[in-house]
Amino acid sequence: MTEGNQIPSEVDAPVGSPCRASHTKRIQDIVHWIAREANQPLPLAGLARRAGMSPYHFLREFKRVVGISPHRFVLAQRLRRAARRLRHSEDRVLELIPSAFRARGRGPSPRSA
């Protein structure tokens, strides 16, 4: 991924490659969507379907555009959001853990543990 976890703005596709540019745009749209929805379970198949690609092709294109796997990107977004909340709130650490981190969204809430 580029410096500071920014979304690459320049397409590294060869000139005259509208397909590659289209894939880059779709991946950038997904990156923005993930940033908004990071607290939800985000399986690879669902992300790929949202981008209109097969899971295998989506994984390859995501890594090409972003520089890391979708899984690592989702984790980074969740950690960034939790760190921001820790800095700016009085919440306890366990209250900041999204349900998506607890047993893939099926685990008990921190209050029942």
Side-chain angles (χ1 to χ4, degrees):
M1 188 167 216
T2 61
E3 186 81 20
N5 290 333
Q6 296 295 316
I7 301 164
S9 59
E10 293 191 17
V11 178
D12 59 356
V15 175
S17 178
C19 183
R20 191 163 190 176
S22 169
H23 287 173
T24 298
K25 173 71 173 113
R26 285 192 258 169
I27 295 298
Q28 289 174 336
D29 290 345
I30 291 292
V31 163
H32 291 294
W33 185 80
I34 290 171
R36 288 189 310 270
E37 303 294 328
N39 285 340
Q40 304 301 317
L42 298 170
L44 179 66
L47 295 172
R49 188 172 36 256
R50 188 170 193 85
M53 299 177 196
S54 72
Y56 176 76
H57 189 62
F58 174 77
L59 180 61
R60 270 193 357 226
E61 288 296 301
F62 194 97
K63 283 183 177 180
R64 178 186 65 80
V65 172
V66 180
I68 58 174
S69 71
H71 178 73
R72 290 187 65 151
F73 183 78
V74 168
L75 290 178
Q77 293 300 307
R78 290 174 178 164
L79 289 171
R80 180 177 291 115
R81 187 175 286 181
R84 190 177 317 122
R85 284 187 62 195
L86 277 172
R87 282 191 305 271
H88 301 291
S89 76
E90 297 296 323
D91 292 341
R92 296 180 333 177
V93 172
L94 286 178
E95 292 171 348
L96 299 178
I97 301 171
S99 63
F101 272 132
R102 293 187 303 272
R104 297 187 181 200
R106 295 183 297 275
S109 72
R111 296 184 193 282
S112 66

